Amino acid sequence: MNEFLIFEGISKSFGDLKVLDNVSLSIGKGEIFSILGPSGCGKTTLLRICAGFETPDSGRVILNGKEITDQGSNKRQVNTVFQNYALFPHMTVRENISFGLQMAKVAKNQISREVDKFLDLIQMTDQADKKATKLSGGQMQRVAIARALINKPQVLLLDEPLAALDLKLRQRMLVELDWIHDEVGITFLYVTHDQGEAMSISDHIAIMNMGKIEQHGTPAAVYEAPSNSFVAAFIGDTNFFETEITKNDGSYSYLHIEEFTDIMVYNDKNFHEGSKVYLSIRPEKFNITLDKPEEHRRINMIRGVVEDIIYLGTHTTYWVRANEYLIQIRKSHDRFLLDQKIIEHGNDVWISWHADNCYMLDRYNVKDESLLTLPDADAMESESSAPGEE
């Protein structure tokens, strides 16, 4: 990867609160890189340091081979799109977009050409003379992006840019933002707490927690191979298991899970026999059937009882009690009502999953289980005791 934007050992405190703790990241030229984490993890502070709005206590920021740590915000080839758009309400769309070029004293005819180009890019040529106050949220965000891009920055910083929009508009703006990036080709650094946004738009993502980078890589690598329980629980949903390796067999291990069952797992960490290991298994990695699956050496299976069902259109989530574990299982709909018998609350079912679909974690913290989606306990109790249920 061409290291275009580099954060090197960045630390920052506000009083006694350490917001960033020795953060190092390298971002490639022309990519969309997302920093993802819960509120208060330090991601916006890192963005503000990149923009020049904050100064780190230690560490360096390097852009295109030049250190910019102590450079003023107005001297950096970095622009920011804020969550609240920060448009000038008394100006028209055209005037808002042209503002930066006017401040730079660019010739009027050049400003006109550039503004026309960006109006076309954001598909708002017919809205050019509207005041900013007359625009929808999505339109205001597009104008804010055009205004930030027209000065041709080397990096565009986006701080929760879609947080104020409703779900459908966010989804549409993500597609548009990706298309705009492809058109202009500059580096986007995108900060969000929304996993869906980060996963769908990014070339690479970094997961932050309590001022530190927990893991970074491609969205697929981070989701499929989380390094620890925080990443596994924060990105999507998962099921955690505390296990002990009873036997190694080449690249696979046999594990004992107390009050569950013994299983086979691919051992990519080279843990030894007797090691205590924590597993993460994503809900969609499980199969759920009424009939017992065909046995295979590397297929794990266990009986269970369905305790809760949540239908979500694209998929159904099942909560299945298997011995002492409550397992979350997600099943997509191939052909509704045609692919198999409907699984209902209270059914005895089989859960099965391949040994390759279990992932061994490097670190585990029980507090991270609070990030998982859990069914409503009161609703489950009400269902299980409903009168007349067969």
Side-chain angles (χ1 to χ4, degrees):
M1 180 180 70
N2 178 14
E3 296 182 341
F4 185 67
L5 175 61
I6 301 171
F7 297 96
E8 191 177 274
I10 299 291
S11 293
K12 177 69 177 179
S13 297
F14 294 103
D16 294 332
L17 180 63
K18 191 151 197 172
V19 179
L20 294 172
D21 187 3
N22 195 32
V23 171
S24 294
L25 271 180
S26 295
I27 298 166
K29 186 173 184 178
E31 74 171 330
I32 301 180
F33 192 105
S34 290
I35 301 175
L36 176 65
S39 298
C41 71
K43 58 188 185 294
T44 294
T45 300
L46 188 64
L47 200 78
R48 289 177 60 82
I49 286 172
C50 185
F53 302 147
E54 300 283 355
T55 303
D57 299 333
S58 60
R60 301 192 303 160
V61 182
I62 300 167
L63 176 59
N64 199 18
K66 297 179 181 179
E67 185 175 349
I68 61 170
T69 315
D70 299 319
Q71 201 174 72
S73 59
N74 62 325
K75 302 293 184 184
R76 303 183 184 199
Q77 289 184 290
V78 174
N79 279 350
T80 306
V81 176
F82 299 98
Q83 179 180 332
N84 63 355
Y85 319 128
L87 299 180
F88 299 112
H90 62 286
M91 291 185 181
T92 65
V93 168
R94 179 179 292 277
E95 289 166 344
N96 265 285
I97 294 173
S98 66
F99 182 78
L101 296 181
Q102 290 175 350
M103 291 298 98
K105 301 191 185 307
V106 174
K108 287 185 178 181
N109 60 344
Q110 185 179 345
I111 290 177
S112 181
R113 286 196 304 270
E114 288 295 314
V115 171
D116 285 344
K117 183 172 75 174
F118 276 90
L119 283 168
D120 183 58
L121 178 69
I122 63 171
Q123 300 175 33
M124 288 187 62
T125 301
D126 59 339
Q127 309 287 326
D129 296 321
K130 269 191 178 180
K131 289 286 177 61
T133 52
K134 301 296 183 181
L135 302 176
S136 69
Q139 288 173 329
M140 285 192 285
Q141 192 58 276
R142 279 187 274 168
V143 173
I145 291 167
R147 186 181 62 180
L149 288 172
I150 200 167
N151 280 340
K152 296 182 173 60
Q154 291 188 330
V155 178
L156 183 66
L157 308 177
L158 300 109
D159 185 12
E160 304 268 11
L162 309 182
L165 306 179
D166 62 49
L167 176 61
K168 281 291 184 183
L169 192 50
R170 280 205 311 274
Q171 292 171 338
R172 191 166 78 239
M173 282 301 299
L174 273 175
V175 174
E176 292 187 9
L177 196 57
D178 195 23
W179 180 80
I180 289 170
H181 172 264
D182 291 343
E183 289 295 308
V184 297
I186 70 169
T187 302
F188 280 19
L189 180 56
Y190 192 102
V191 161
T192 182
H193 67 276
D194 188 296
Q195 301 98 317
E197 285 182 21
M199 297 283 284
S200 62
I201 200 172
S202 308
D203 298 300
H204 292 88
I205 60 175
I207 312 300
M208 284 192 72
N209 185 34
M210 299 178 67
K212 295 183 177 181
I213 302 294
E214 296 282 355
Q215 187 175 354
H216 62 87
T218 65
V222 172
Y223 181 82
E224 298 290 349
S227 62
N228 57 57
S229 55
F230 176 82
V231 175
F234 190 77
I235 297 286
D237 269 313
T238 195
N239 299 273
F240 289 128
F241 298 88
E242 181 181 345
T243 77
E244 182 180 340
I245 297 179
T246 57
K247 179 184 175 184
N248 282 329
D249 182 7
S251 298
Y252 290 83
S253 297
Y254 292 92
L255 277 61
H256 174 67
I257 304 176
E258 197 72 34
E259 298 181 321
F260 188 63
T261 189
D262 292 347
I263 65 173
M264 173 182 272
V265 173
Y266 178 67
N267 187 350
D268 67 311
K269 299 288 195 303
N270 296 316
F271 286 127
H272 302 297
E273 291 181 12
S275 296
K276 184 177 179 180
V277 175
Y278 287 92
L279 294 182
S280 167
I281 309 179
R282 298 290 187 187
E284 69 276 9
K285 304 301 184 184
F286 290 101
N287 292 313
I288 179 171
T289 56
L290 292 168
D291 299 322
K292 185 177 181 179
E294 184 178 339
E295 293 191 8
H296 185 278
R297 180 168 175 263
R298 289 179 182 164
I299 297 294
N300 302 294
M301 63 180 72
I302 189 173
R303 294 294 302 272
V305 177
V306 178
E307 291 197 359
D308 199 18
I309 302 173
I310 303 174
Y311 176 79
L312 293 167
T314 57
H315 64 273
T316 295
T317 297
Y318 299 91
W319 294 93
V320 178
R321 178 71 62 182
N323 294 337
E324 294 303 312
Y325 279 79
L326 187 61
I327 309 299
Q328 182 184 175
I329 301 166
R330 188 170 299 145
K331 180 176 173 57
S332 61
H333 303 141
D334 300 325
R335 297 179 301 159
F336 181 59
L337 297 180
L338 296 177
D339 45 356
Q340 61 179 350
K341 294 179 183 177
I342 296 298
I343 295 173
E344 298 177 333
H345 176 269
N347 280 165
D348 291 320
V349 293
W350 284 92
I351 307 170
S352 59
W353 67 101
H354 197 281
D356 292 349
N357 286 331
C358 313
Y359 197 77
M360 294 180 170
L361 301 172
D362 293 323
R363 298 195 319 275
Y364 172 82
N365 187 328
V366 69
K367 292 180 180 178
D368 296 329
E369 296 208 13
S370 65
L371 299 170
L372 299 177
T373 301
L374 296 174
D376 188 315
D378 293 335
M380 288 176 64
E381 185 177 346
S382 174
E383 267 191 45
S384 63
S385 59
E389 184 178 272
E390 294 182 1

